[in-house]
Structure formats: structure tokens, C-alpha cells
Amino acid sequence: MFKAMLIKEFLLVSRDKHALAALFVMPAVFILIMSLALKDVFNEEKALIEYAVVDRDNSLESLSVVSKLRANKVLKEHKISADFKTPKEEGVQFIVVIPKGFKSQFSNDADTAASLQIEVASDIAQTHLMLFKTQVISAFMQVQLDALNLAQEMQQGVRGQGAEIKKMAFDEAKMMKIHYAALAEDEKPTSTQQSVPSWIVFSLFFVIIPMSTIFISERKQNTLMRLSTMNVSLPVLFGGKIIPYMVINQLQVWVMIAVGIFIVPLFGAAPLNIGGSLSGLIAISMALSLSAIGLSILIATLVDSVEQATTIGGIINILLGAIGGVMVPKFVMPEFMQEFANVSPMSWGLEGFLDIFLRRGGISDVLSEVLALSLFGLVSLLLAALIFNYKIRRVA
């Protein structure tokens, strides 16, 4: 009897292809995506940081620092013009500006020397910034050490002339100044500003599960068929689904923003600050909601049962999040994975929210993401309409 029960259970699971997908295919694909996304993080031979240098000093000392940075395998240099834009627009994480007068850092009048200026992309984590600063300081110290050794050799070669050797000193505050793009002087992005956008995007796509579940239940109870026979057009039918869930999505967005502003500070973390425009925030959240709802209705029309909808919806949600940079920041991914991340609508939504929260953007800054998300949502709805019509005619 017990043997028969075991066989029955294995047979049921083996015949449920959606359960098998959730148990075996999704973890396998997830392992593949995360391993590729984090490949360079644990590879000492691969450059982890992309930067550019603008040398306005053009001295022997500044060229030496540039040369030391260029020889560092952790860093990958990009060429940019002197009238550079923000790090994001230049496609790098950091821009090092060596100002005129920097060479005085290596002389006795270092107190009046100009400091290195490092422009940082707003979405860069503090750990990444610390790693880059360490590399810059290392290059600076190597050049200073070379200069000290040269001075010692000269003193030994010209005995009696009393050449004074400058003591090796280092003051990070005097050596470099950090500035985050689009933020005020001495202002830093907080963990709240970096985490809230990711979880807003991820949570909005979870509308797939309740929406597709209700859609399928109504289809099985012939509610949708009865509405069709009452001459309710498909746009009205879909509109009756889209509007309520869009309202729910907007409530989700503002509840999570309220948590970031009012609840998070109660536990000692920095509050969320909406730095960008309110109209831009509304536009990107509406567009993201449309894309999530479009995908939800498409899944609901494709599958035949609630179990399939919840399984497939959950798998798609997690995989889109892993690919789109919600779980692993895109800047630590290899270049090909950063390109691949652009296939996920979550990546477009995340960039839009980061433009608002971290880069102080306006509606023009999120326009491309808004258009891409809206187009994705409309195409999904169009496909869903075609499939739904086909299934209705087949049943009729």
C-alpha cells in the first residue's frame, strides 16, 4: 500500500510539467544567471571598475598617476573628452579629474595644492567607491614613493649640497574630493535610496499572480464568456482589469515610498529622499504598472489553470528580477550581462526610478524608459487580446 502511495506521488509530480519547471528548471536557470552576473566579482584577472581620467595638469606627476592607474588590472579605463558629462552618460562609474596645480601635492607646498576631483555615479555602492579610492590612493603613494627615492638618490649623489628631502605625508581629504553626480556637495546617496527602487519594481510585477489567478477563475466560471455575449467589447473587458490593478500598483508605490520616508528612519537608517521630479516619478510608475499588467494578462490568457498561472508567474517574476539588476547591481555584472539585462522590463523600470531617486532626474530623463515600458505593456495586451479571441471562438 505504502509503495503504491509513493509511486502515485512520483507519477503525479512527474506529470506536472509546471511543478517540474519550478523545482528544476527555474533553479538551474537562476544559478546560471547569478553565476554569470557575479562572474567578474570573484575574478582577480577581470577589471571590476570602469573609469575615465581628465588630466588638466599634464605634469610628470599627473602622468605618473595616470600610468599607475592604467597598469592596475582591477580598473578599466575609458577615453572621454575634456568637456565630459555625468559618469552614467559617459558609460563609466568614476571620472577622475586631475586639476591644474596637482603636481604641488608632491612638493613642499602641498598645503596649497589642488585636490583630485572624483565624480561618482549616483547608484554606486559605498563598497565600490571604497575599492576605487584605495586604488587611486595606492597609485598616488607609489608616485610619491618614487619621487622620494629619486630625491634620496640625488642627495647621495650631490653630498654636501644639503638637498632637503620632503617627508612622505598623506592626507586623503587634501588629496581627493568626492562628488556624486547630480547630488549637492558633501551629499551621499543612502542605502534607502538605492534599495527602495529595486523593491518597488520587483513588487509591482507580483501583480501577475493575483491578476492571472482571478482572470482564469472568471474564465472557468464563464464570467468572461457571458460578458462577451452581452456585447462587452474586449477593450472594455481588459480596461475593467487594467484600471483596478493600476490603482493597486500606484498604492504599492506610494506605500513603499512612505515606508522609506517615515518608517525606515525610526530604525536608524537614512530616510528616503525623492530628489527628482514628481511628474517623472508618476510617469515611470504608471508605465511600469502598464507593463506588469500587460504581462499578467498575457500569462493569464496563455495558461489553463490557476496553478499554472501562479507557477509560471512566480518563475517569470524572479527571473526578470535576476536578469534586470534587481538582485545584483548591473555595474558589477560583466559587460555582456549588462547588455543582456536590457531585455528585462524590470531593468527599464529600475533605471527610471534610479533616475528620479538618485540622479535627481525630471520627466525628460525617464522618457525613454516610460516609452519602452508602455510599448512592452501595449504589445503584451495586443498579444493577449489575439490569444483570448482565438480561445473564445474555439469554445464557441
Side-chain angles (χ1 to χ4, degrees):
M1 184 64 181
F2 184 68
K3 180 181 175 183
M5 288 173 62
L6 293 177
I7 292 172
K8 182 264 299 176
E9 204 63 33
F10 279 120
L11 282 174
L12 287 175
V13 173
S14 64
R15 289 169 184 168
D16 187 344
K17 57 186 178 184
H18 299 97
L20 291 176
L23 291 171
F24 296 101
V25 178
M26 189 193 75
V29 175
F30 198 71
I31 287 171
L32 180 64
I33 292 171
M34 298 306 284
S35 299
L36 290 175
L38 295 170
K39 183 165 71 80
D40 286 353
V41 175
F42 301 101
N43 186 353
E44 295 178 353
E45 299 299 319
K46 279 285 188 181
L48 191 60
I49 298 172
E50 299 188 39
Y51 76 103
V53 176
V54 176
D55 186 359
R56 291 174 178 158
D57 195 39
N58 284 318
S59 61
L60 181 63
E61 290 80 2
S62 68
L63 291 173
S64 299
V65 171
V66 172
S67 175
K68 299 288 184 190
L69 290 174
R70 198 169 285 157
N72 192 326
K73 290 182 179 178
V74 177
L75 309 177
K76 180 180 178 183
E77 185 184 7
H78 290 241
K79 297 293 182 187
I80 61 171
S81 63
D83 54 342
F84 60 90
K85 300 176 182 174
T86 64
K88 185 198 173 190
E89 290 171 305
E90 298 291 352
V92 297
Q93 297 152 4
F94 304 96
I95 297 176
V96 180
V97 180
I98 304 179
K100 200 163 184 57
F102 170 73
K103 65 179 180 182
S104 299
Q105 292 263 3
F106 301 89
S107 65
N108 289 328
D109 55 347
D111 291 343
T112 60
S115 305
L116 282 176
Q117 296 169 13
I118 300 181
E119 291 289 321
V120 185
S122 307
D123 54 349
I124 292 297
Q126 285 294 312
T127 51
H128 224 60
L129 173 61
M130 290 301 296
L131 177 59
F132 184 66
K133 283 169 63 178
T134 304
Q135 305 308 315
V136 174
I137 291 169
S138 173
F140 180 89
M141 296 295 284
Q142 285 177 44
V143 174
Q144 199 173 41
L145 189 60
D146 290 345
L148 188 63
N149 289 334
L150 181 62
Q152 283 179 331
E153 289 174 7
M154 288 177 67
Q155 188 186 43
Q156 289 168 359
V158 192
R159 284 185 181 177
Q161 294 192 6
E164 185 182 348
I165 299 175
K166 176 181 174 291
K167 289 183 179 178
M168 193 167 173
F170 173 73
D171 184 343
E172 183 184 324
K174 288 181 181 174
M175 181 209 153
M176 66 170 77
K177 294 189 183 304
I178 307 295
H179 176 246
Y180 285 88
L183 299 186
E185 203 69 32
D186 298 329
E187 186 180 2
K188 296 178 182 177
T190 65
S191 59
T192 315
Q193 282 173 287
Q194 290 181 322
S195 62
V196 168
S198 299
W199 300 117
I200 285 178
V201 172
F202 198 52
S203 65
L204 257 62
F205 272 81
F206 265 107
V207 77
I208 290 173
I209 294 175
M211 186 174 191
S212 54
T213 301
I214 294 172
F215 192 94
I216 292 167
S217 299
E218 289 181 343
R219 197 174 64 200
K220 287 194 169 183
Q221 294 164 5
N222 289 324
T223 306
L224 299 179
M225 177 67 80
R226 286 196 293 274
L227 288 171
S228 297
T229 56
M230 293 166 65
N231 290 328
V232 176
S233 66
L234 200 56
V236 174
L237 190 65
F238 276 14
K241 296 285 180 190
I242 293 169
I243 293 172
Y245 281 98
M246 194 162 274
V247 172
I248 292 169
N249 272 167
Q250 297 313 303
L251 282 174
Q252 281 181 282
V253 171
W254 289 104
V255 165
M256 281 183 275
I257 288 175
V259 169
I261 294 174
F262 301 110
I263 306 298
V264 170
L266 298 178
F267 295 89
L272 176 68
N273 178 24
I274 304 174
S277 80
L278 196 60
S279 57
L281 176 60
I282 292 171
I284 192 68
S285 62
M286 294 286 282
L288 184 66
S289 178
L290 180 62
S291 68
I293 291 169
L295 184 60
S296 305
I297 296 181
L298 179 60
I299 291 172
T301 54
L302 282 170
V303 300
D304 297 320
S305 68
V306 171
E307 293 77 13
Q308 290 176 3
T310 52
T311 305
I312 293 174
I315 291 173
I316 289 176
N317 206 22
I318 292 171
L319 293 183
L320 286 180
I323 294 170
V326 170
M327 298 177 184
V328 176
K330 281 202 289 186
F331 62 78
V332 303
M333 294 181 182
E335 196 169 338
F336 76 94
M337 278 298 292
Q338 292 186 23
E339 295 291 330
F340 184 60
N342 293 327
V343 304
S344 169
M346 285 196 190
S347 171
W348 315 335
L350 182 58
E351 283 300 316
F353 278 107
L354 289 175
D355 280 340
I356 299 296
F357 288 125
L358 282 176
R359 300 171 192 134
R360 307 288 168 87
I363 192 160
S364 59
D365 296 303
V366 298
L367 195 58
S368 58
E369 288 92 355
V370 169
L371 291 175
L373 287 166
S374 301
L375 184 63
F376 178 85
L378 293 174
V379 170
S380 299
L381 288 171
L382 180 62
L383 290 174
L386 293 173
I387 294 168
F388 182 76
N389 266 336
Y390 170 76
K391 288 189 172 181
I392 289 287
R393 286 175 187 166
R394 194 175 62 176
V395 173

